[in-house]
């Protein structure tokens, strides 16, 4: 999901919103012990975030995660 800037969100009743903090959207996958960390556009991000790669090594094989760092 991509965010849009709005000055005052109009939300349906019982809905909530949260601010979007600047960060990097990334996809991490683990396959056969190899960790790949990429941006949503496919740029390799592993060298810039070695701590994320080191932590992802502990995940089970065939894991795929999408998140913001």
């Amino acid at each position: 999901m991509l965010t849009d800037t709005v000055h005052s969100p109009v939300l349906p009743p019982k809905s909530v919103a949260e601010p979007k903090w600047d960060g990097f959207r990334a996809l991490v996958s683990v396959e056969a012990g190899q960790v790949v960390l990429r941006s949503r556009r496919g740029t390799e991000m592993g060298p810039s975030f070695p701590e994320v790669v080191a932590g992802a090594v502990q995940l089970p094989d065939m894991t795929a995660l999408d998140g913001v760092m």
Side-chain angles (χ1 to χ4, degrees):
M1 291 184 273
L2 298 177
T3 60
D4 287 324
T5 301
V6 295
H7 295 289
S8 178
V10 177
L11 300 172
K14 298 185 180 180
S15 295
V16 297
E18 63 184 31
K20 188 225 180 268
W21 304 109
D22 283 339
F24 294 98
R25 176 112 184 240
L27 307 169
V28 63
S29 61
V30 181
E31 188 172 337
Q34 296 294 316
V35 175
V36 177
L37 182 65
R38 296 194 185 281
S39 72
R40 66 183 180 88
R41 293 187 177 174
T43 302
E44 176 60 43
M45 298 175 71
S48 297
F49 298 95
E51 67 282 6
V52 174
V53 173
V57 169
Q58 302 172 36
L59 295 170
D61 196 33
M62 303 303 292
T63 296
L65 301 172
D66 177 10
V68 178
M69 303 184 282

